Amino acid sequence: MDTSVKNLISMGPLEDSFIYYDLGDQVFYSAKQGMNYLAIAAPIAIYSLQRLSKLLNQTFGDVSSLFNLIFFILMSLFLVFGTIFLAKSTRRNMKTDRFRKVRLTKANIKTLRRKSRWTVLVEIFCFLMILFSIYRYFTYSDFQFLIIYMLGIFSLVYMVYEFQMKTRKRLFKELMETLQDDSRGKEGDM
């Protein structure tokens, strides 16, 4: 399966696999989860970023608001476009031998739908964290809040690009309607 050609929508994790839906073929694919390196790297990254923010605060101190604004705009543009580029290149370089077609039950689709609602809450949390850190950065010129903003914007842009919540919500609605129609048809046959 060539993932660069197919338009896959990530439907989320189910048991020990990630489920993808191909919009063209209207088929579900499953890919085994690999090692989660984020769990290993997160504590190291947090410690390093905390030290970096202290160093930046000591070096620059209270900087002018014009410098803050220019740096903030450039960093925001870099993060948004860099995150989209990273997500696209990750999608293109997926190992195609890991994918296999799967047939999901009604219970599996309901589980995926329930888990997708949590993704919306995480996106809202990231958005609120971004707003708070923007306010704190411009108010106090504290680079720690700039780093929090950077992590928040990276997470939000990646989730919006990867999960495509509007498309995903429409798919879940269509799948649930199809499953209800199938169950009504089977009841009518009896």
Side-chain angles (χ1 to χ4, degrees), residues 51-61 71 143 146-147:
R51 293 292 174 206
L52 177 65
S53 69
K54 285 183 180 179
L55 179 67
L56 288 171
N57 284 331
Q58 290 172 353
T59 305
F60 293 109
F71 185 70
F143 285 93
L146 179 66
I147 291 172

Side-chain angles (χ1 to χ4, degrees), residues 11 14 19 28 102-109 112 175 179:
M11 301 299 277
L14 184 67
I19 304 297
F28 285 103
V102 291
R103 190 157 179 84
L104 298 180
T105 64
K106 187 175 183 178
N108 290 346
I109 293 173
L112 285 171
L175 289 169
L179 290 173

Side-chain angles (χ1 to χ4, degrees), residues 29-95:
Y29 290 100
S30 169
K32 291 284 184 190
Q33 294 179 0
M35 170 101 174
N36 189 356
Y37 295 105
L38 187 60
I40 298 168
I44 298 167
I46 290 170
Y47 178 78
S48 302
L49 291 174
Q50 184 180 19
R51 293 292 174 206
L52 177 65
S53 69
K54 285 183 180 179
L55 179 67
L56 288 171
N57 284 331
Q58 290 172 353
T59 305
F60 293 109
D62 189 22
V63 293
S64 69
S65 59
L66 180 62
F67 176 75
N68 274 347
L69 185 62
I70 292 170
F71 185 70
F72 180 78
I73 291 170
L74 292 175
M75 188 57 66
S76 298
L77 291 172
F78 172 75
L79 276 169
V80 169
F81 291 116
T83 303
I84 291 172
F85 176 75
L86 177 70
K88 281 185 178 183
S89 67
T90 303
R91 177 64 65 90
R92 248 181 309 214
N93 295 330
M94 288 175 137
K95 293 182 180 176

Side-chain angles (χ1 to χ4, degrees), residues 112-148:
L112 285 171
R113 186 178 183 195
R114 187 175 59 249
K115 287 181 177 182
S116 76
R117 291 182 181 148
W118 285 103
T119 307
V120 174
L121 290 176
V122 171
E123 286 179 357
I124 291 170
F125 175 75
C126 283
F127 181 72
L128 293 174
M129 184 175 69
I130 289 167
L131 290 179
F132 175 74
S133 58
I134 289 171
Y135 167 75
R136 295 290 290 200
Y137 174 65
F138 282 119
T139 304
Y140 299 106
S141 296
D142 189 350
F143 285 93
Q144 184 171 358
F145 292 106
L146 179 66
I147 291 172
I148 293 170

